[in-house]
Amino acid sequence: AQTVTQSQPEMSVQEAETVTLSCTYDTSENNYYLFWYKQPPSRQMILVIRQEAYKQQNATENRFSVNFQKAAKSFSLKISDSQLGDTAMYFCAFSPGYALNFGKGTSLLVTP
Amino acid sequence: EADIYQTPRYLVIGTGKKITLECSQTMGHDKMYWYQQDPGMELHLIHYSYGVNSTEKGDLSSESTVSRIRTEHFPLTLESARPSHTSQYLCASTRGEANVLTFGAGSRLTVL
């Protein structure tokens, strides 16, 4: 089975600070994609960032960046300069090809 | 806003009723998915489709059924709803191998 593990059910960070969300996955595949999705309270799930496994360079999208360690099967998300609007459930997801497998999510609360 | 629409957004029904959750997308995506999101927020793949007349069961066993008669439409049906079906159901779609999913707003079902 190809699993995704998010070991932090809840996290809290103050506005303007930096926070890192952890994710590990298990697969025997060599080519795959990894994603972080965000689900704000009562709102739609949206893509935060994507990483192709064959690319060594870590993906970045504005204040969001990842630390992809392929050998360790680790894919953490760093949010810099946290904003109140970043409060949401964050899901790490792994794509072996036919669909996405999601972790259980990390609930992030950004406080003033 | 994503061009994928789910109706109804909220539904409360009695045990034994038949219900259909609608999902439509206007992006011409060939792949469509249904995920069940439990109260703990974990997402489970219950059905997916690679195109018209193609449907597959996902990783989580579900008593629901789906159909894909038109590219843009992927309805999910429960013939006889039970309280255990109470959940949020998320529809998603994508095109190509990268599997960057676009999600609908979800249908929150409560079965009494």
Side-chain angles (χ1 to χ4, degrees):
Chain A
Q2 297 174 117
T3 59
V4 179
T5 302
Q6 294 180 248
S7 59
Q8 305 149 315
E10 296 179 349
M11 294 191 74
S12 179
V13 64
Q14 280 196 313
E15 207 173 0
E17 297 295 309
T18 295
V19 64
T20 298
L21 280 57
S22 301
C23 174
T24 58
Y25 58 95
D26 184 26
T27 183
S28 57
E29 302 285 336
N30 192 47
N31 295 319
Y32 49 88
Y33 297 88
L34 293 160
F35 308 84
W36 279 97
Y37 277 84
K38 167 185 176 180
Q39 188 177 34
S42 300
R43 292 183 63 187
Q44 221 150 335
M45 184 95 75
I46 57 173
L47 177 70
V48 175
I49 200 165
R50 180 186 70 173
Q51 174 81 43
E52 292 96 332
Y54 64 87
K55 288 187 177 179
Q56 292 186 339
Q57 186 173 5
N58 290 324
T60 62
E61 286 287 342
N62 301 313
R63 298 182 294 107
F64 299 89
S65 62
V66 299
N67 183 5
F68 174 48
Q69 302 289 329
K70 190 173 183 180
K73 296 179 182 174
S74 171
F75 183 60
S76 61
L77 174 70
K78 185 172 82 172
I79 306 174
S80 304
D81 185 26
S82 297
Q83 300 175 359
L84 296 178
D86 294 334
T87 291
M89 281 292 290
Y90 286 82
F91 293 93
C92 179
F94 162 84
S95 174
Y98 68 94
L100 265 61
N101 295 336
F102 287 86
K104 292 186 177 183
T106 295
S107 177
L108 177 66
L109 175 65
V110 181
T111 59
Chain B
E1 293 293 321
D3 296 322
I4 182 165
Y5 306 99
Q6 290 188 242
T7 57
R9 289 291 313 278
Y10 302 93
L11 181 64
V12 180
I13 60 171
T15 297
K17 298 293 186 183
K18 177 180 178 180
I19 62 113
T20 295
L21 304 180
E22 302 287 349
C23 177
S24 295
Q25 50 95 4
T26 59
M27 297 171 285
H29 286 173
D30 50 351
K31 297 176 184 173
M32 295 189 74
Y33 306 83
W34 277 103
Y35 284 86
Q36 184 174 337
Q37 186 169 32
D38 61 30
M41 303 299 282
E42 190 170 1
L43 288 130
H44 304 280
L45 178 69
I46 52 174
H47 298 284
Y48 61 100
S49 167
Y50 279 173
V52 172
N53 294 325
S54 151
T55 60
E56 301 288 344
K57 289 189 179 294
D59 304 321
L60 180 69
S61 176
S62 174
E63 294 165 342
S64 58
T65 59
V66 292
S67 63
R68 189 89 183 275
I69 299 173
R70 302 199 314 267
T71 298
E72 63 272 21
H73 196 212
F74 192 41
L76 180 145
T77 298
L78 276 167
E79 291 291 335
S80 180
R82 296 207 302 269
S84 61
H85 297 138
T86 293
S87 192
Q88 170 149 261
Y89 294 85
L90 298 179
C91 181
S93 70
T94 189
R95 173 190 287 145
E97 294 183 1
N99 281 319
V100 176
L101 298 186
T102 300
F103 281 86
S107 292
R108 186 169 296 279
L109 173 66
T110 301
V111 184
L112 303 176

